[in-house]
Amino acid sequence: MKYSVKLIIRHTVETGEVFLEESILMLDAVSFDDAYLKAENFVKENELCAAYDNMYGKRVHSEIISYADCFAVYDDEDVIEVYSSIRRAGKKLSEDIIVSALEDSCSIKEMFPLRQFADPDETNAD
């Protein structure tokens, strides 16, 4: 069966900038526990959190903050739902704050500190 596992990854640039990434892996597994184990092994084998120097020569460190969720993938052939996450709005986090956080993505230019090298057509992007 197919499962998707959501990772929360923190990227910290030598300059002090911090980026949080949600990454979703889809994989074959026999159970939720097996899916988490395969995701952890994938991260280790592919060195997803290996430190590197960005295009400005600054060191970037990455770490998995959480294997946040696992989802059994449902497939009806016309539409495939690969992931779903439900959050409850309440006193601590209002609906507006949650939606704003989920919608707020970095621009191309804001992502530059994570790049190992620049794409020629992106150096002046906003």
Side-chain angles (χ1 to χ4, degrees):
M1 181 170 194
K2 294 278 188 200
Y3 288 84
S4 57
V5 176
K6 181 170 81 168
L7 317 176
I8 308 277
I9 306 167
R10 177 191 305 128
H11 303 283
T12 306
V13 184
E14 182 180 330
T15 58
E17 294 172 279
V18 176
F19 297 83
L20 295 174
E21 175 184 359
E22 289 180 288
S23 177
I24 298 173
L25 306 175
M26 189 178 346
L27 41 89
D28 290 313
V30 295
S31 67
F32 287 98
D33 288 339
D34 186 41
Y36 280 119
L37 181 61
K38 285 186 174 189
E40 289 173 7
N41 288 337
F42 178 83
V43 168
K44 288 176 190 169
E45 291 168 8
N46 292 282
E47 299 180 345
L48 293 187
C49 291
Y52 64 91
D53 291 334
N54 69 12
M55 64 185 187
Y56 304 112
K58 302 297 181 189
R59 199 77 173 151
V60 178
H61 296 275
S62 302
E63 67 178 304
I64 302 292
I65 299 301
S66 176
Y67 291 85
D69 203 359
C70 186
F71 181 77
V73 175
Y74 299 101
D75 179 358
D76 75 358
E77 296 186 24
D78 288 337
V79 176
I80 300 171
E81 181 180 19
V82 296
Y83 187 78
S84 174
S85 180
I86 299 173
R87 291 172 177 82
R88 182 172 52 166
K91 293 178 184 177
K92 290 184 179 181
L93 291 175
S94 71
E95 180 180 334
D96 291 343
I97 290 171
I98 294 170
V99 171
S100 177
L102 293 171
E103 291 179 340
D104 189 24
S105 297
C106 294
S107 69
I108 291 171
K109 194 170 190 173
E110 289 172 322
M111 293 286 297
F112 281 178
L114 296 180
R115 298 281 177 94
Q116 286 181 288
F117 47 86
D119 291 333
D121 59 334
E122 291 181 339
T123 54
N124 293 321
D126 290 326

